[in-house]
Amino acid sequence: MTTAIYPGSFDPITHGHTGIIISGLRCFDRVIVAVLNNEQKKPLFSVEERIEMIGEALPEIGADMSRVELDSFDGLLVDYAKRRGAGVILRGLRAVADFEYELQMANMNRHLNEEVETVFIMANDAYFYVASNLVKEVTRLGGDVSSLVPPSVDRRLRAKLGV
Ligand code: PNS
């Protein structure tokens, strides 16, 4: 049985992320969506809120929740993967701009533990431009992101940002 970790900040989860999770479930037996617990990144949503939003969003889009686990982690990702018995780190790629950062992380993670493979899945082209930071900024400025994020995320974003 192959378990993949899908790590990220998910602040908040977008349809870019949900697409990667659905694709990941086609490739792997189990996907652990692992929310980075890092206050230094000054997240808008707490880890608990981010996990709740992921938990609400995935059933809405028909993800097979019997093969999905939601968790949080801190410290090194490869150590977390080892603890969880996962041999794969799953990451999504959008445009070329993602590539350099992702290559750097994948190689660093391989340096730290060569038994953990990083596997990339291309984001759906409909969501190539979608990023959590942009979604937050656009909502804050009164723009409509309702087609780019799950409904519960849209609601919570507007409540959190008071718009
Ligand atoms: O959604 P993000 O912010 O692009 O995800 C980045 C993440 C969580 C994958 C990355 O910051 C990470 O793995 N952090 C854990 C610390 C770690 O292992 N750092 C060394 C990897 S290069």
Side-chain angles (χ1 to χ4, degrees):
M1 182 161 104
T2 314
T3 300
I5 305 269
Y6 181 41
S9 300
F10 304 107
D11 186 41
I13 189 165
T14 69
H15 279 322
H17 298 121
T18 59
I20 300 295
I21 295 168
I22 295 291
S23 299
L25 286 169
R26 289 195 193 107
C27 305
F28 306 106
D29 300 307
R30 255 175 92 229
V31 174
I32 301 175
V33 183
V35 177
L36 177 68
N37 186 356
N38 184 356
E39 288 304 317
Q40 283 166 347
K41 281 200 176 183
K42 297 207 185 319
L44 178 64
F45 293 100
S46 69
V47 170
E48 293 74 23
E49 288 173 311
R50 285 180 269 160
I51 289 180
E52 264 176 39
M53 284 186 281
I54 299 169
E56 287 163 2
L58 294 182
E60 279 170 8
I61 55 157
D64 176 0
M65 295 308 286
S66 68
R67 297 192 292 122
V68 176
E69 188 186 328
L70 310 181
D71 196 9
S72 63
F73 78 104
D74 48 25
L76 283 178
L77 175 59
V78 287
D79 292 345
Y80 173 72
K82 191 171 177 188
R83 263 200 321 277
R84 299 305 317 271
V88 173
I89 293 169
L90 172 63
R91 291 286 287 172
L93 274 183
R94 291 168 300 191
V96 184
D98 283 344
F99 183 77
E100 221 163 310
Y101 169 60
E102 294 296 337
L103 180 69
Q104 199 177 13
M105 278 206 301
N107 280 325
M108 178 58 84
N109 285 331
R110 176 176 284 153
H111 165 79
L112 294 170
N113 185 341
E114 63 183 12
E115 287 172 12
V116 181
E117 287 294 340
T118 301
V119 171
F120 294 102
I121 288 181
M122 299 307 297
N124 183 325
D125 59 0
Y127 301 115
F128 241 56
Y129 59 96
V130 178
S132 298
N133 284 342
L134 280 184
V135 156
K136 284 182 280 192
E137 183 181 323
V138 169
T139 304
R140 188 177 286 122
L141 297 173
D144 178 5
V145 298
S146 57
S147 60
L148 308 179
V149 296
S152 58
V153 171
D154 186 41
R155 266 195 313 275
R156 285 194 195 223
L157 262 175
R158 284 187 282 115
K160 180 75 95 176
L161 295 169
V163 291

